[in-house]
Amino acid sequence: MADTDGLKVAKNYQIEVPFANQTPFYVKGANNLDWGMKKHLSNIFDPKSGRTVMFAFDHGYFMGSTAGLERLDLVVPKLMPAIDVLMGTRGAIRSCIPADCKKAIALRVSSGSSMLNEDLSHEIIAVDIEDSIRMNADCIAVQTFIGADGQLSSIDNLSQCINAGLRYSIPVLGVVAVGKDMERTDRFFKLATRIVAEMGANIIKTYYCENFEEIVAACPVPIVVAGGKKLPEREALTLAYNSISKGASGLDMGRNIFQSEHSLEMAYSIRKIVHEGFTDKEAWEFYQDSIN
Ligand code: 5RP
């Protein structure tokens, strides 16, 4: 490990320079991966736009049944036409999702927290690679808690999943958690996203923040943005637009879709931003037209 004396703050992100190792495979940082990894990534990221609309419904792994997800069997199938990837637990997917759904699967494999815990940062690998293969997972999602008490064990979980994923050609989605004491600043997210990418994750999920374009530039693999707590639809669409326009490779929204009064229309509106170049204003107009 390099010594930490004389650490210089990174500042030269060369935002205007595209990622260098981008051809011939279109997913950032995946050029040197094998066929199977690339096939899974192409199931996640649209070859034309290079982006993805993930629908996150894995909240139950630590929140139990949350508002808007009371009936997984009704909520998720209804949204299928508007999304590219299902992000859920094996329990939710196996019990409630038709196997012929033709959607990519982002399988939540880390667990161990619950809303009853004060500290959510101590998790385990709950799903082994064999069951991820059985579930036909296109990526396996592991929570990482940089800066929290559970940092080391979460990096160990991530590394074990990356090692197993490389053995069986399944990409890893490193989920950057933000503990209640952590600040949602670009300084934190630059540190956390880069650590998770350097560990070998193939996709990073994090939150949007100021200077997001610098976080994207410094991260050698695609970043998808989590929606976070429910916002008014107009604000959620602006969050989506800002994320995409600053370089995100997609959105992985949950509450801003399933807690919307018009969840399917909301998912379609996000899709317009992700895949069709809509601005937030255009997507908001599309949303309003869709519900009236
Ligand atoms: C929950 C998660 C969710 O996948 C992630 O936070 C996205 O959901 P939302 O948009 O509701 O935040 O990791 O543990």
Side-chain angles (χ1 to χ4, degrees), residues 116-131:
L116 302 178
N117 291 81
E118 181 61 24
D119 173 0
L120 297 176
S121 71
H122 297 277
E123 292 197 346
I124 55 163
I125 302 169
V127 182
D128 64 19
I129 195 69
E130 285 77 13
D131 205 35

Side-chain angles (χ1 to χ4, degrees), residues 3-9:
D3 64 51
T4 52
D5 293 342
L7 271 185
K8 290 187 176 173
V9 176

Side-chain angles (χ1 to χ4, degrees), residues 56 58-59 61-62 87 108 143 175 205 207 226-228 252-255:
D58 59 327
H59 304 60
Y61 96 93
F62 79 104
M87 180 175 179
R108 158 68 64 180
Q143 208 81 1
V175 180
K205 178 163 73 165
Y207 295 90
D252 178 33
M253 285 188 162
R255 287 161 288 178

Side-chain angles (χ1 to χ4, degrees), residues 44-66:
I44 293 169
F45 295 101
D46 179 273
K48 291 192 210 60
S49 70
R51 301 192 188 112
T52 187
V53 176
M54 287 188 177
F55 172 57
F57 57 96
D58 59 327
H59 304 60
Y61 96 93
F62 79 104
M63 294 170 107
S65 86
T66 186

Side-chain angles (χ1 to χ4, degrees), residues 201-216:
N202 307 102
I203 311 168
I204 311 288
K205 178 163 73 165
T206 189
Y207 295 90
Y208 180 78
C209 66
E210 64 175 352
N211 301 323
F212 186 74
E213 68 278 8
E214 293 179 355
I215 293 164
V216 170

Side-chain angles (χ1 to χ4, degrees), residues 55 57 71-81 83-86 89-105 134-136 138:
F55 172 57
F57 57 96
R71 289 291 302 273
L72 290 165
D73 58 317
L74 302 178
V75 170
V76 184
K78 181 183 94 171
L79 296 168
M80 294 280 193
I83 58 173
D84 303 311
V85 183
L86 297 171
T89 61
R90 63 177 166 183
I93 293 170
R94 267 207 178 95
S95 59
C96 298
I97 307 303
D100 60 354
C101 70
K102 302 276 189 292
K103 297 298 172 181
I105 299 295
R134 278 186 219 103
M135 293 291 292
N136 206 17
D138 290 294

